[in-house]
Amino acid sequence: MLFPALTGSPDKEALRFGDQSLTYAELATVAGTLARALPRGRVAVWATSTLHTTVAVVAALLAGVPAVPVNPKVGERELQHIVSDSAPELVLAEPGVTLPDALAALPRLDVVLTGTPGELPPEADTETPALIVYTSGTTGPPKGVVLPRRAIATTLDALEDAWQWTADDILVHALPLFHVHGLILGMLGPLRRGGTVHHLGRFSTEGVTNALAAGATMMFGVPTMYHRIAAEVGTDEALAKALSGARLLVSGSAALPVHDHQLITAATGQQVVERYGMTETLMNTSVRADGERKAGSVGVPLGGVDVRLVDEAGATIAGSDGETIGEIQVRGPNLFTGYLNRPDATAAAFDDGWFRTGDMATRDADGYVRIVGRKATDLIKSGGYKIGAGEIENILLEHPGVAEVAVTGEPDADLGERIVAWVVAAGEPPAAEELADHVARLLAPHKRPRVVRFLDALPRNDMGKVLKRALPS
Ligand code: MCA
Ligand code: AMP
C-alpha cells in the first residue's frame, strides 16, 4: 500500500497550502472520489503549486492510472511534445484555470476539494507506471521517464531509514510539483510516512522562517534556496532561530557549495544534509541523519541501491581513495522502467543492467560519494532544473535574428549555473530580452538564457563542429 495513513490516521493533518489544508480522512475522501471518476489511461495534471495538484496525483495513484505532471509555465512547443508523446486521455486541473490550447483540446476533469467517503480502489500492481516525469537530455526534446510504484515506495522507504523520517515530521518546502524533488520526495514522502507537509506556494526566506517557527521539523530545497538563506541568515535572527530548531535540513538537485554550508552552520549550528538523485533513478545516496556530516559530499548509498564508479575504459574502480574519478552507475529497485516511446534511449542509458548517470565522482574510505562534475557539457543545472543546451539552441535557431548559436552554462552564485547563449546574429542583433522571451514562450521560463553574447563567428573545428570550450569566458 502506497499510503497506509489514508485509512490509518484519519484525523491527522496531511497537507497544508497557505490557509487550505486536508486531513488524511479528507484527502481519502476527495482523492478517492476523483479516483473513481478517472479513465484507465494516462492523465495529465496541470501541476500548479496547490492542494489540487497533490489531490490529483494521489487520486491517479489510488486509481492505478499513470499521471503526467505538467509545468504550468510550460511553453507551447514543449507542451505540444509532452501531449503528443504521452497522449493523455484527459487533463486534471483546478477549477477556473485557463489551460493552453494543447491541453484545452483534451477532456477536462476539475479537481474539487469535496467528495463522498467510500472504499478506496484496490491497490495496483507495484510495477504499474505511477508517474511520467519529463526530463531534458543533451539534445532533442525532453524524454518521459516512466516511474513505477515500486520505485516510489522503495526510494521513500530508503529515505525513511536514512533520515529517521517519521509520521511526527512536518516538512516545509516550496518546490515545484512537476519534478521528482517537489512531488515525489516533497509531497508523496510525507504522505507515505503519515506525516504532514506544508507547501509555501513560492519560496521566500520569510515563509521558511514562519513555517519552521510554527513547528515544521524538516525542510527540503534546491541549492539556490539554501544560497538565498545563507545570504540572509547571518543578519536575520528570526530565520537563524527557526532553522536552528529544525530536525533536518535537506538539499538536493544540484551541488550545495561548501561556502553556503558553512554560512548556514555558522549562524544556526545546523549541518545541511545533501542527497543525490535523478529523475530516472529517484534517490541514490544521502548523508544519513545519524552519520557524519561531510559538507560537499552526497553521502553513502541508500539501502537497496548499488553504486559503482566506472573509469573511462569501462572498468569498475576498485577501492575508495577519495581521489580517483569515475562515472556513477547505479542499480536497484529505485530505478525507472524506461523512457516513454524511446526504447533506443532506454537501452543506451544502461551498461549491463547498471544505469549510467553521467555524473562524475570520487568515493572516500568511508564510502562517501563526492560529485565533481558531469560527463556531458551540454547539460546545464540552473536553479536545480536540468536543461539541455540542444533544445535551447534549436529553438533559438528558429528566431529570425539568429544565424548561429551555441548554448553553455557558466557558474552563477545564485543559480549554480546560468544559461548563456552565444549568438551570431542574422542582420541587426535582436535584443537579449527578446531571445529570452522567445525561449520562455516556446519551452519554459527557467530555460531562458540569462545572458546573450553576440559574436562574429562561433569557434569550430575542421569538421564544422562548434568548440564550446573555446568560447571566450
Ligand atoms: C522571468 N519570468 C519570466 C521571464 N522572465 N516568465 C516568462 N518569460 C520571461 N522572459 C518569471 C519566471 O517564470 C518566475 O515566475 C519569475 O519571473 C522569476 O523567475 P526566475 O528568476 O527564473 O525564478 P527564481 O525566483 O530565480 O527561481 C529560483 C527557484 C527556482 C525558486 C530556486 O529555480 C526553482 O523553483 N527551482 C527548483 C527546481 C527543481 O525543483 N528541480 C528539481 C528537479 P514565478 O516567480 O511566478 O514562478 S531535479 C530532481 O527532481 C532530481 C530527482 C533531484 O535530485 O532532486
Ligand atoms: P534531474 O535529471 O533533473 O533529475 O537531475 C539529476 C541530476 O541532478 C543528477 O544527475 C546530478 O547531476 C544532479 N544532482 C542531484 N542532486 C545532486 C547533489 N546533491 N549534488 C550534486 N548534483 C546533484
Side-chain angles (χ1 to χ4, degrees):
M1 219 181 166
L2 265 184
F3 305 119
L6 281 178
T7 46
S9 317
D11 300 327
K12 182 158 181 183
E13 184 177 48
L15 305 167
R16 188 174 346 144
F17 283 78
D19 53 11
Q20 283 188 309
S21 72
L22 291 178
T23 63
Y24 276 97
E26 289 165 342
L27 178 60
T29 297
V30 296
T33 304
L34 186 57
R36 290 189 285 274
L38 292 182
R40 298 314 308 156
R42 287 177 206 129
V43 297
V45 176
W46 188 241
T48 49
S49 291
T50 58
L51 205 48
H52 302 78
T53 296
T54 315
V55 167
V57 170
V58 171
L61 290 168
L62 286 176
V65 163
V68 185
V70 179
N71 175 358
K73 291 216 161 112
V74 68
E76 280 163 37
R77 195 66 59 77
E78 190 160 319
L79 180 61
Q80 269 163 16
H81 166 69
I82 292 173
V83 171
S84 67
D85 189 51
S86 65
E89 278 191 37
L90 58 74
V91 54
L92 295 169
E94 61 189 294
V97 296
T98 305
L99 296 174
D101 292 350
L103 284 176
L106 296 175
R108 169 175 179 157
L109 202 52
D110 277 343
V111 180
V112 291
L113 302 179
T114 55
T116 319
E119 285 271 303
L120 296 178
E123 193 83 6
D125 180 77
T126 54
E127 288 305 312
T128 309
L131 289 166
I132 298 168
V133 179
Y134 278 81
T135 190
S136 292
T138 49
T139 55
K143 299 188 285 285
V145 175
V146 181
L147 294 164
R149 302 166 82 82
R150 171 256 304 154
I152 294 174
T154 52
T155 219
L156 293 176
D157 294 351
L159 294 177
E160 171 189 28
D161 173 55
W163 298 340
Q164 302 174 343
W165 191 355
T166 73
D168 292 333
D169 280 304
I170 300 174
L171 172 69
V172 58
H173 72 91
L175 294 156
L177 300 187
F178 47 89
H179 277 307
V180 165
H181 195 170
L183 182 60
I184 299 186
L185 273 56
M187 304 310 302
L188 304 184
L191 296 181
R192 182 156 173 84
R193 295 280 70 79
T196 302
V197 51
H198 182 167
H199 195 287
L200 296 175
R202 60 185 309 140
F203 177 79
S204 69
T205 49
E206 195 190 349
V208 168
T209 303
N210 293 339
L212 290 172
T217 61
M218 291 170 92
M219 174 183 156
F220 291 174
V222 292
T224 300
M225 296 172 181
Y226 284 105
H227 176 74
R228 293 177 186 179
I229 286 173
E232 290 179 27
V233 72
T235 52
D236 182 339
E237 270 176 41
L239 176 62
K241 184 160 178 262
L243 288 166
S244 306
R247 186 180 74 74
L248 200 66
L249 308 176
V250 185
S251 174
S253 303
L256 181 62
V258 171
H259 183 60
D260 288 330
H261 271 282
Q262 288 167 341
L263 287 174
I264 292 171
T265 302
T268 68
Q270 290 279 358
Q271 291 178 287
V272 176
V273 157
E274 279 196 75
R275 95 295 178 283
Y276 159 65
M278 237 178 132
T279 305
E280 291 90 333
T281 66
L282 303 186
M283 294 303 116
N284 299 312
T285 70
S286 183
V287 171
R288 295 180 59 89
D290 58 0
E292 189 189 342
R293 310 273 172 102
K294 298 189 189 183
S297 162
V298 295
V300 297
L302 291 168
V305 183
D306 293 329
V307 173
R308 69 177 187 185
L309 298 185
V310 175
D311 69 16
E312 270 183 26
T316 301
I317 295 170
S320 322
D321 60 6
E323 278 177 22
T324 313
I325 297 172
E327 182 192 14
I328 304 175
Q329 298 193 347
V330 294
R331 202 172 59 175
N334 51 319
L335 263 57
F336 71 140
T337 40
Y339 296 111
L340 187 68
N341 305 323
R342 294 292 309 276
D344 56 327
T346 307
F350 284 88
D351 175 3
D352 196 22
W354 293 78
F355 179 78
R356 309 168 198 263
T357 65
D359 292 308
M360 306 301 290
T362 62
R363 183 150 49 175
D364 73 12
D366 300 330
Y368 279 60
V369 174
R370 192 173 292 269
I371 296 176
V372 297
R374 199 181 301 124
K375 240 180 171 171
T377 48
D378 278 348
L379 283 179
I380 300 163
K381 265 271 163 166
S382 190
Y385 288 112
K386 180 147 99 182
I387 300 152
E391 56 180 329
I392 306 173
E393 288 162 359
N394 289 339
I395 284 294
L396 283 172
L397 281 172
E398 290 182 20
H399 190 282
V402 176
E404 293 176 47
V405 64
V407 166
T408 58
E410 65 182 22
D412 184 282
D414 183 47
L415 296 170
E417 287 181 288
R418 62 175 162 262
I419 298 172
V420 181
W422 304 82
V423 173
V424 178
E428 186 63 26
E433 206 172 289
E434 188 181 323
L435 296 181
D437 288 346
H438 174 78
V439 174
R441 186 172 58 77
L442 291 173
L443 297 180
H446 65 263
K447 297 185 178 179
R448 71 191 189 277
R450 307 285 174 138
V451 179
V452 178
R453 298 206 182 103
F454 291 97
L455 297 172
D456 292 335
L458 296 177
R460 293 182 187 270
N461 67 12
D462 294 344
M463 313 289 288
K465 188 176 176 314
V466 176
L467 295 169
K468 292 197 177 178
R469 291 184 203 277
L471 287 162
S473 51

